[in-house]
Amino acid sequence: MAAKDVAFSIALIIFSIYIIVTSLGLKYNTSFIDGAGFFPLIVGCVLLLLGIVLLYVGIRCGGVKRLQEIMNGSTILAFIKSDETVRVVVLVVMMVIYMYVLIGWLPFIAATAIYIFVNYMYLGACKKCWIIPGPVMAVIISVVAAIAIYYGMKIGLGITMP
Amino acid sequence: MAEQFGYFLSAFAPVFGDGNFLLIALAVLLGLVVGAIPGLTGTMALALLINFTYGLSQNAAVGFMLGCYVGAVSGGLFSAIMLNIPGTPNAAATALDGYPLAQQGKGGKALFGGVVASCSGTIVSCIIMMIATPFISSIALRFGKWELFLLALFGIMICGNLSVDSTPLKGWIGGFLGFFCAMIGVDSIYNGQRFIFVDGLTSGVTLIPALIGMFGIAEVLTVLQDKTPVEINRSMGSIFPDKEEFKEIMKPVPRSTLIGCGIGAIPGAGEDIAAWLSYSVGKSSSKHKEKFGKGSFEGLSCSETANNACIAGAMIPMLTLAIPGSTQAAMFLAALNLHGIQPGPMLTFNSPNFMYIVGITIIFAALVMLVLAFVLVKPMVFILQMNRKILMPIIVALTVAGAYASRSTIFDIKLMLVFGLIGFLLRKFGIPLAPVTLGLILGGTADESFRMALTQGGGSVIPLLSRWMGDILIVVVLYTFISGARKTVRETRAQLKAGKEAQQASE
């Protein structure tokens, strides 16, 4: 965790400096104190301070040494190739495609059915049931779920759907 | 007093009228099922089920959300006892004694005990809430902008201090990151634009998509990254405990209710802390300490009573000060805002019977939960076996519908995904999400109150120090900060010591 703390605190320090610089550049009417940038400036300063403390704690707990150990080609490659990382990346990519591309381009039912089906195939979620093969089960569940969500929300609950 | 009694009586019609009681029962059922499924937390349940309130009337929406809340908090005990996987984080302490009881063939009795304890805790804490809220409201009415700012600051400080599995330092970082997210958009006083990274953020971060993302998408990713299959213990034995076991279940109820209600009233503390604290107090004061962790009905009752008592406790600061006592209460607050209800000091004037509507609804929901839990004890075993890989993609589609429904813009769906990824990464770095949520909710109030208070003080905080309520709050904030800092130092030293010992051992 110490290595993670060091990495996170460095990112936090950079981010808080960005907040401080941006806040100082924001326009104000009468005085800076009641301007839009005053409170974000305080928040940025507090985050900077907390980031420095976290960095100090991380360094004291051997975070830099641990980070140096981790930050070599073979460990990074092993991390990238690990099952967990690959699964999370693939799931996130599927979500991005679904929410940024499919929704708005295709009707909700089609977009959702495709997303659920692709997920099931990737995760190996649907097994053979009775005489119905797994992929066919995946198609059935995906389409039924998409239709149920759409009409359940739209007609059943009067919610506007994408 | 007579006036309050009148408000209490007038609260029955909105709770039970127009078939609302059926809706509450349905909500409890949904909450129980969602809360029971491992990986679906109570907060996630509320985030998903908020969708269903869009088309409902104000009273029906309040009933529905509270029903879900009670059901979801209680539902976690099923998987904690039968699978040793807490359905919700607040049921983690329940698993310590519940699962050993299930292994001993007393799963049915453990479920009965847990449900009875949950119901008792909810009802007693609700009565405490209905008595305490008017008094706290009368104090809250004296709060000015300075006190409101200090209160918001206290909220994220104490929430950071109490975050489970994290140091106060990381909790505070989470809280201030939440504050920053609340700063995005046009500022509320002079309409000055700040941190508008993309056009859609001009009006700021929309609360509901952000919360759905942090607790829905982040949860889905966390659950699906894990390949571990779920094993279930099918033998449950008898449901009804004998006289001695029943006594053990009921014994810690009064103490655990007080602990749960008290912890619930602390901003952002939540059900999991209440359950662990109550379990720890119960263990240290029990005559049968040796049974704790090996299958004790008393231990089971300690955690289940406290986590449910927390529901009503969390309502006290939420209704009186608009500061949610837990992440689930934050979801409820978001739903209230959606339906035009503004909790806070003025609530007692604008809707004097609202607090009683909440109280009566929670009590009714607890009783429904008691009945449903008995009916569901056996079928729940099949629900627990549901394949999470099948469920999670469907949940993603539901989160999309929920995020879109709040403002009918595709941008909110994208915003939800961004917050989902932020939530997932923050978890990976050990930053708790409860303070982030609280910061996001309270950030706007803190900003506006602080700047207006400074304007009142002529640009200085010195004149504001003459306000005695503010001074008390300053002392409380300082005390919270010092105790959090000491805790961080202690934990860092322990971490250092453990590291050195491990190094010596390896040498």
Side-chain angles (χ1 to χ4, degrees), chain A residues 4-5 15 18 26 29 34-36 38-39 42 60 87 100 112 115 120 125 153 157 159 161-162, chain B residues 51-52 170 180 190 193-194 197 224-225 227 387 390 394 396-397 404-405 414 428 447 450-451 454 496:
Chain A
K4 279 185 182 178
D5 287 352
F15 184 59
Y18 160 76
L26 289 173
N29 291 341
D34 62 1
F38 183 59
F39 198 72
I42 295 174
R60 283 288 308 273
R87 205 175 307 121
Y100 278 73
T112 304
Y115 169 73
Y120 285 168
M153 294 279 188
L157 300 161
I159 295 169
M161 293 296 285
Chain B
N51 296 345
F52 294 91
K170 288 187 180 177
F180 169 74
Y190 292 114
Q193 294 193 350
R194 52 191 183 183
F197 304 104
L224 288 182
Q225 71 175 2
K227 259 187 161 177
N387 188 346
I390 290 183
I394 296 173
V396 172
Y404 182 81
K414 296 173 181 173
K428 286 278 166 197
D447 172 31
F450 184 58
R451 283 155 63 200
L454 277 182
L496 269 171

Side-chain angles (χ1 to χ4, degrees), chain A residues 24-104:
Chain A
L24 288 169
L26 289 173
K27 288 177 188 168
Y28 55 89
N29 291 341
T30 48
S31 70
F32 184 70
I33 283 178
D34 62 1
F38 183 59
F39 198 72
L41 175 70
I42 295 174
V43 171
C45 291
V46 174
L47 281 174
L48 178 66
L49 200 71
L50 294 173
I52 291 168
V53 176
L54 186 65
L55 180 65
Y56 174 74
V57 170
I59 291 170
R60 283 288 308 273
C61 293
V64 176
K65 199 181 161 192
R66 184 82 193 98
L67 204 62
Q68 280 168 345
E69 285 168 12
I70 295 169
M71 286 303 202
N72 63 57
S74 59
T75 322
I76 292 173
L77 205 68
F79 171 75
I80 292 170
K81 282 184 174 176
S82 74
D83 271 4
E84 201 181 293
T85 311
V86 171
R87 205 175 307 121
V88 169
V89 170
V90 172
L91 288 170
V92 169
V93 168
M94 286 196 283
M95 281 179 189
V96 171
I97 294 171
Y98 173 49
M99 293 179 205
Y100 278 73
V101 181
L102 294 181
I103 295 275

